Amino acid sequence: MAFIEVIGGRHLQGEIPIQGSKNAVLPILAASILHNGITRIKNCPKIIDVYHMIKLLESIGCIVTWEQDGLTIDATEMNYSSVDKKYVSSMRSSIILLGALLGRNKNVTISYPGGCAIGARPIDLHLKAIKEMNVQVIHSEDIIFCSTSHLTGAKISLASPSVGATENVILAAVKADGITIIDNAAMEPEITELCLFLVKMGARISGAGSKTIMIEGVKEFRDVEYTLVSDRIVMGTYLAAVAGAGGSVTLRGNCCKENETVINTLRTMGCRIGVGRDYVNICSSQQPRAVPLIETETYPGFPTDMQSQIMSVLTIASGTSLIVENIFESRYKTVKELAKMGADIYVSGKAAQVNGVAALTGCDVRAYDLRGGAGLVIAGLIANGTSRISGIEYIERGYEDISKDLANLGADIRKVESSL
């Protein structure tokens, strides 16, 4: 069983690049099957979720190869509409193949997806929206079967701005007859990135990044090469690491604007941050200040994917902070692990009161989800002594090599392969 070992107390210094975006690449990989040809994605992150998606694509007939600077998907001979349950159950994002397979083959059989245990994340919105596009949906406890004689454009009003539902409707609508309008669409940067990719491939989409997206269906797409945007959550994680451990670091990536709410929160905590077009510099030389209130929201609000990392930093802040988690009901699984390290956190429903302590103490802790695991790594950087974080298979779902990145900034951290 592998774990990450961290010896805390070192300030972080230096400069590193930020990997390609996990949350953008997965729907783009799904979108590649809409085209009966070749897609090349540069700056593709080598993370577990991408490897899972590759297995999914290969299982339905795609040829996928890694090249020096990215990934090539050949969907010319793709001819399957049924997705193997063993691949779907390992990753929540596999559900975005629903819209893409409907666009390509007009039918799909897929099981309910798996992934991190951070909340129920029901897919009712996906299915309700797809039904409005002339799709028959039959689902049992385990399997979803969708079919259509032809996809039809529709006006779809989402009950909530679900990222996954927005992506699935877009992926189906680009091959539908007529025009589809999505009201109350998700505005996350990853939605914009998917639309930019599809437009480059030949789709007709307007309004990406707003609450109303319009898609005019087309019949054919073309081969495309696309360079992926940097991962805003990875950048935010490393910014939080510097805020907690102290130091001065420059992060290179083109997702700075998309991190505005995180950067503003870190400034409130006392960090000095400079932002350029393709870099962020952060300096932290004092104990973090408490933040009166942080509420997670859909974009452009504070991202739920950064809540755990910021909580770890606030455990040593001067004063009391309040976090309200409005997106996922099980985001606080990391709290009991932080408590083992000496954190003083009280959870009541959606709210977590974080009372800053003088110091954390290193110990053995376990990750239960992707971002919570990253938060525990940050806690290890902050703590006195040695921490060992197990459950790193969650962390590797979204970070190419968090240990290597932080070690390159001067952290005393390493991944340990254990036979125990």
Side-chain angles (χ1 to χ4, degrees), residues 87-122:
Y87 300 125
V88 175
S89 61
S90 63
M91 187 177 63
R92 180 70 190 182
S93 299
S94 58
I95 194 63
I96 54 178
L97 284 170
L98 179 67
L101 281 169
L102 278 170
R104 170 88 179 225
N105 291 341
K106 305 296 186 289
N107 66 86
V108 56
T109 302
I110 191 169
S111 61
Y112 283 88
C116 274
I118 56 171
R121 294 196 281 186

Side-chain angles (χ1 to χ4, degrees), residues 300-316:
F302 189 91
T304 182
D305 279 354
M306 279 301 302
Q307 185 255 95
S308 296
Q309 301 92 308
I310 293 296
M311 176 184 281
S312 289
V313 181
L314 292 174
T315 61
I316 59 159

Side-chain angles (χ1 to χ4, degrees), residues 370-382:
L370 167 56
R371 305 308 175 184
L376 291 174
V377 171
I378 292 172
L381 297 173
I382 295 170

